[in-house]
Amino acid sequence: MSSRRWRESSRTNISDEQITQLLSALRQLLPEIPHSHSRKASSAAEVLKQTCNYIKTLHREVDDLSDRLSQLLATIDADSAEAAIIRSLLI
Amino acid sequence: MHLPHSTLKQEFVKKWIMGLQRCKFSNKNMSILERKKAIKLSADTAMASARKGLTCWSRALISNPDRPVPTTTRRASSACKKIVKRSRRIRRTAKCGAARKGQITRSIAQCLVRKRTQILKSLIPGGEFMNEVCLIEETLDYITSLRVQVDVMRSLASASARASEPHN
């Protein structure tokens, strides 16, 4: 079982079941990958790889959105009506 | 510990608006780069403080918001590729028994898990100090919060784009 390999490599007293449950919770969070094998990642190594890639994707998106927002918000005065509209759209 | 998406979203929006107002957005003398840094910093701080100190990653992010984004180390993945190549050569040339094949597979898997755990630790704020269980729990929470952050930033970007369109 893949969780056993994790335990062997870490050499600490963590239960297999705990790791397996956590890994499957992580698997649920990962997005479906189109054009890949029909079955979802099953091994710990595969889940970790997809998790790292997903986090990097999210970081890149935040960076791109910050870029976009810095350009869009440059034209908006904080006290103007537009700012009020945006605030109401957010909440 | 895990909040529903809508609650987390409201907390994030509230904190982010406070942060944006504090960094004096109406200052027209800000360069685009300064504005971008301010937006990103306030978004990260809001995302972390929305967790109210309940998670390690959020405390680490608040205490060190300007940590550099780690670049992937090519060494880690090339070491594993070498092991995989070597094992394929062994399987082709030698007549391995089932036990030997199992041993090779296990050592490859262990190596990959070890390397990828290191990468994950470098991606999660404060990850270098966590054990494996804590790391996965924190990862689950961090991914959920990142999604909320992306969600809200995207909504603001499309709302701003619509608001700045010329009215007909």
Side-chain angles (χ1 to χ4, degrees):
Chain A
M1 183 64 218
S2 57
S3 58
R4 182 157 35 94
R5 285 167 200 148
W6 195 322
R7 193 160 67 133
E8 281 167 356
S9 68
S10 72
R11 286 190 207 130
T12 55
N13 210 6
I14 296 168
S15 76
D16 284 345
E17 209 184 305
Q18 216 177 353
I19 297 263
T20 313
Q21 277 177 355
L22 286 171
L23 283 177
S24 68
L26 202 45
R27 212 176 292 141
Q28 297 305 316
L29 266 191
L30 300 174
E32 288 283 349
I33 305 169
H35 318 300
S36 72
H37 311 293
S38 53
R39 56 182 174 85
K40 265 192 160 185
S42 55
S43 68
E46 194 54 35
V47 171
L48 284 174
K49 178 178 147 188
Q50 288 183 20
T51 304
C52 292
N53 289 341
Y54 188 42
I55 293 179
K56 285 179 200 164
T57 309
L58 289 170
H59 281 167
R60 259 198 308 270
E61 259 194 87
V62 169
D63 205 61
D64 291 342
L65 284 165
S66 303
D67 246 328
R68 228 178 115 197
L69 281 171
S70 65
Q71 286 160 13
L72 286 168
L73 294 179
T75 59
I76 290 173
D77 187 0
D79 298 322
S80 75
E82 288 160 328
I85 294 168
I86 289 170
R87 236 173 267 140
S88 64
L89 281 168
L90 275 181
I91 299 169
Chain B
M1 188 152 95
H2 297 291
L3 291 178
H5 185 88
S6 53
T7 315
L8 200 52
K9 201 171 171 178
Q10 278 167 21
E11 272 303 309
F12 173 76
V13 168
K14 203 167 63 179
K15 300 270 159 85
W16 195 29
I17 287 179
M18 268 167 49
L20 286 172
Q21 285 169 342
R22 243 182 237 143
C23 62
K24 297 192 172 50
F25 245 85
S26 50
N27 182 3
K28 303 277 181 196
N29 295 326
M30 270 181 133
S31 70
I32 294 277
L33 189 59
E34 281 169 349
R35 203 179 298 268
K36 178 194 167 174
K37 278 184 179 166
I39 292 174
K40 190 152 190 303
L41 179 62
S42 56
D44 281 345
T45 311
M47 175 177 72
S49 79
R51 294 311 277 117
K52 298 186 179 165
L54 291 173
T55 51
C56 298
W57 70 262
S58 57
R59 293 194 295 269
L61 190 54
I62 286 173
S63 62
N64 190 13
D66 285 327
R67 68 185 196 121
V69 175
T71 49
T72 322
T73 49
R74 292 213 168 266
R75 260 192 322 158
S77 54
S78 67
C80 282
K81 277 183 190 154
K82 278 183 190 156
I83 292 176
V84 171
K85 269 189 199 160
R86 206 186 312 145
S87 72
R88 282 193 189 138
R89 227 179 15 246
I90 292 170
R91 275 189 245 185
R92 270 201 307 268
T93 57
K95 284 200 173 91
C96 300
R100 179 103 174 98
K101 276 186 191 162
Q103 198 182 22
I104 291 167
T105 315
R106 265 197 302 278
S107 63
I108 294 172
Q110 270 175 26
C111 173
L112 286 175
V113 166
R114 217 170 18 240
K115 300 296 180 192
R116 286 167 187 175
T117 304
Q118 284 309 114
I119 297 174
L120 187 58
K121 281 186 173 181
S122 71
L123 288 172
I124 308 289
E128 48 272 28
F129 309 113
M130 297 175 192
N131 65 33
E132 280 71 23
V133 170
C134 185
L135 182 64
I136 310 179
E137 286 175 341
E138 291 282 320
T139 305
L140 288 165
D141 199 80
Y142 186 54
I143 290 181
T144 315
S145 295
L146 274 176
R147 280 175 163 177
V148 165
Q149 187 187 45
V150 166
D151 215 357
V152 174
M153 286 177 90
R154 216 182 265 147
S155 310
L156 178 56
S158 42
S160 308
R162 274 201 305 274
S164 61
E165 271 163 19
H167 300 289
N168 292 323

